Amino acid sequence: MKPNKSVGIIGYGAYVPKYRIQNTEIARVWGNDPNLVPIREKSVPGADEDSVTIAIEIARNAIIRAGINPSDLRAVWVGSESKPYAVKPTSTIVAEAIAATPFVNAADWEFACKAGSETIQACIAFVGSGMAKYALGIGVDTAQGAPSDALEYTAAAGGAGYIIGSAKESLAIIEASISYVTDTPDFWRRQHEHYPKHGNRFTGEPSYFKHVLSSSKALMEELGTKPEDYNYAIFHQPNRKFPLEVAKILGFPKEKILDGLVSPYIGNTYAGSALLGLAAVLDKAKEGDKIFCTSYGSGAGSDSFSLEVTDKLAERKGKAPSVKSYIERREEIDYAKYARYRKKIRA
Amino acid sequence: MNVPRHWREQIRRYRLVGSKCTDCGRLSFPNRAVCPKCNSRNNENYQYAGRGKIISFTNINSPPKEHKYNLPYAVALIELMEGPVITAQITDARAEELEIGMEVEMVTRKIMEYNDDGIICYGYKFRPIVEYAHP
Ligand SMILES: [Zn+2]
């Protein structure tokens, strides 16, 4: 898919809370084998953080990099599965906090871990059609796994956001994108439930791999590109293993994946996951680099994007903290404090 | 819970917006209808940059019930870059990690929430500046 008018990323922002719990600490509490844990550690939001506060930090970083007046944003869209309110938009609070109100389209998007990349697809269309000069799309989550569930090892907090504008103002031009969606019951959470459920036999092959591979192959086929044409690739990161495996199947060597692979250090930030990986790559990339990015959301579907970095990235990337600086800002907590911060135990 | 009051103070709390006297230039936070320096009634909204220095701080041990979820936390007197001195909660750092003169930046965080069915109040807090490390 391509809009009528060429568009790209004019600013991006990332954020990861500073608290971390080690996977070995979770394994200790539940009596699991500490040698079989999926990642090193995951991020945990502080007691005063939620998807709203994280999205605000992301938005402010993106605005600083873009160097625009927030009142020129025509959309503030937030994709998340961890909304603080069941009814009342996250996006209006974010838009108010960054002074983008009142002439702005605000809405919350929902599609498990694909909710963030969906907002980017919509931003591309909103700007590409000429309806908006600038649009902001954010993917953010403070994901929760049920105590002792396999997902508890990886469900984490953080996200990234992108301001889309015209190609000539862009730090990275979005060449094309695609969406690949089917009805697949691999993961869900019913209304009023705290924790999600997953269909164990559904989580790998027929869901993640099928959708990520189909979407990625279709976009490269449409563009006539090959893995060799790209300098970096990012795939949704529910753990460390899946994105590396999917890259191998597609033919992307490991060295093109590692710069955007943040899940081993912060966990799976759900709607923030692929978008945070992309931000980490933009922190490193230089003019002329080509980037391939595919998200995945349960339910299920993938969005793929093909990007090319322009000369404007070099001057803008240093204006806000890098993903690496957030990863390095860390304070380890034990399971008891984690249980308190995540309201698994309450005063 | 006073929903109208939270709503009226939203912009001041979310963004750190105060006021500026258009006659003598005096900056205030929170915003004032009458200038404390020249008594002018010509005051406009003023957006602070959200940077400042800690002048003094204290650790809070016995907070109001709504803030207990966040213990332990510090409250500091902060001199904003633009001049005014404000009182604010410190986040992402405990009192023992703070120093007089430390540079801090404004973030919007959850101030309190009223039970599980009430409104969530967001507002400014300050934290030690996030170091930029560029890869
Ligand atoms: Zn005055």
Side-chain angles (χ1 to χ4, degrees):
Chain A
M1 301 187 288
K2 279 183 183 185
N4 291 334
K5 213 179 89 184
S6 185
V7 302
I9 296 164
I10 66 158
Y12 68 97
Y15 180 76
V16 181
K18 79 178 269 204
Y19 303 100
R20 304 282 184 276
I21 182 167
Q22 303 249 322
N23 265 198
T24 50
E25 168 71 357
I26 300 173
R28 179 185 72 83
V29 170
W30 299 114
N32 294 330
D33 186 344
N35 298 309
L36 296 177
V37 297
I39 56 170
R40 189 188 307 168
E41 58 188 18
K42 68 169 189 172
S43 63
V44 180
D48 62 354
E49 293 185 287
D50 60 19
S51 285
V52 166
T53 67
I54 294 173
I56 292 170
E57 298 228 19
I58 290 166
R60 287 187 177 138
N61 284 337
I63 289 165
I64 290 169
R65 282 204 178 95
I68 62 160
N69 188 335
S71 63
D72 285 335
L73 288 170
R74 285 293 155 275
V76 174
W77 287 327
V78 182
S80 180
E81 60 139 64
S82 37
K83 289 157 51 73
Y85 289 96
V87 177
K88 188 188 183 306
T90 296
S91 51
T92 54
I93 309 172
V94 175
E96 196 77 73
I98 61 170
T101 47
F103 294 106
V104 63
N105 190 296
D108 293 5
W109 296 63
E110 200 274 337
F111 194 146
C113 301
K114 193 173 97 70
S117 58
E118 264 189 327
T119 69
I120 307 302
Q121 297 276 34
C123 287
I124 293 170
F126 213 33
V127 174
S129 70
M131 276 179 75
K133 190 174 182 194
Y134 305 123
L136 168 61
I138 297 172
V140 60
D141 262 308
T142 55
Q144 292 250 39
S148 92
D149 188 272
L151 290 177
E152 191 182 21
Y153 287 91
T154 51
Y162 294 85
I163 297 175
I164 306 301
S166 72
K168 66 175 194 303
E169 289 178 81
S170 294
L171 55 83
I173 290 167
I174 301 170
E175 295 172 315
S177 64
I178 206 164
S179 289
Y180 182 93
V181 167
T182 70
D183 178 2
T184 308
D186 58 333
F187 172 97
W188 61 89
R189 178 162 61 84
R190 295 285 300 275
Q191 189 83 274
H192 308 304
E193 290 293 312
H194 280 294
Y195 300 113
K197 297 271 182 203
H198 47 92
N200 276 312
R201 52 190 291 267
F202 264 122
T203 47
E205 208 56 49
S207 47
Y208 180 87
F209 287 95
K210 177 185 158 190
H211 294 82
V212 171
L213 290 171
S214 303
S215 176
S216 302
K217 282 179 188 164
L219 183 60
M220 282 190 273
E221 212 174 282
E222 214 175 75
L223 286 169
T225 54
K226 289 194 262 326
E228 302 85 79
D229 298 325
Y230 294 95
N231 303 81
Y232 299 95
I234 305 102
F235 301 99
H236 173 57
Q237 304 162 17
N239 48 39
R240 186 174 187 275
K241 208 170 107 189
F242 280 18
L244 286 170
E245 264 179 44
V246 93
K248 201 174 168 189
I249 297 169
L250 285 166
F252 286 99
K254 206 172 171 181
E255 61 267 22
K256 292 186 178 180
I257 303 299
L258 291 179
D259 286 311
L261 187 61
V262 295
S263 59
Y265 319 105
I266 58 168
N268 178 6
T269 56
Y270 284 49
S273 175
L275 299 186
L276 253 175
L278 176 58
V281 163
L282 288 173
D283 287 337
K284 274 221 140 167
K286 49 185 197 313
E287 185 180 357
D289 281 349
K290 287 190 67 143
I291 303 169
F292 193 82
C293 179
T294 299
S295 66
Y296 172 73
S298 292
S302 283
D303 292 312
S304 293
F305 303 89
S306 178
L307 303 106
E308 184 168 343
V309 173
T310 76
D311 59 333
K312 295 187 178 61
L313 176 62
E315 49 177 279
R316 289 184 204 165
K317 63 167 119 176
K319 290 182 176 172
S322 62
V323 174
K324 188 168 174 248
S325 59
Y326 284 120
I327 290 175
E328 286 172 354
R329 185 185 77 123
R330 61 184 285 287
E331 180 180 331
E332 220 175 293
I333 57 173
D334 62 11
Y335 196 93
K337 202 170 236 181
Y338 157 76
R340 180 188 150 195
Y341 283 178
R342 299 310 341 253
K343 292 185 177 168
K344 291 170 194 290
I345 50 170
R346 307 175 68 146
Chain B
M1 162 181 33
N2 189 332
V3 176
R5 194 179 138 223
H6 288 302
W7 178 72
R8 274 196 307 276
E9 297 193 353
Q10 235 164 232
I11 290 176
R12 173 174 83 77
R13 287 186 173 163
Y14 288 2
R15 303 181 197 159
L16 207 69
V17 168
S19 61
K20 181 182 184 178
C21 169
T22 55
D23 289 320
C24 77
R26 159 87 186 221
L27 296 172
S28 302
F29 190 94
N31 49 322
R32 305 275 195 121
V34 178
C35 175
K37 194 173 160 195
C38 75
N39 291 321
S40 162
R41 292 189 164 270
N42 301 321
N43 290 275
E44 61 183 21
N45 276 355
Y46 182 83
Q47 172 69 60
Y48 289 92
R51 291 263 175 149
K53 264 188 218 158
I54 294 178
I55 305 179
S56 173
F57 63 93
T58 184
N59 192 36
I60 301 294
N61 294 308
S62 313
K65 187 172 153 279
E66 298 80 22
H67 293 290
K68 263 180 92 173
Y69 78 96
N70 202 28
L71 282 177
Y73 65 88
V75 165
L77 270 179
I78 294 157
E79 185 185 331
L80 297 176
M81 212 169 79
E82 297 87 347
V85 173
I86 72 167
T87 306
Q89 273 191 43
I90 299 292
T91 189
D92 286 355
R94 292 178 299 274
E96 56 265 33
E97 298 168 68
L98 305 179
E99 285 169 30
I100 308 281
M102 182 183 252
E103 287 198 61
V104 288
E105 62 188 351
M106 188 273 274
V107 288
T108 307
R109 291 289 175 93
K110 204 153 67 178
I111 304 293
M112 53 189 157
E113 53 187 303
Y114 293 95
N115 306 320
D116 280 342
D117 60 354
I119 199 163
I120 305 168
C121 299
Y122 297 96
Y124 59 82
K125 291 187 184 181
F126 282 76
R127 70 156 172 233
I129 288 172
V130 173
E131 302 286 339
Y132 288 23
H134 287 289

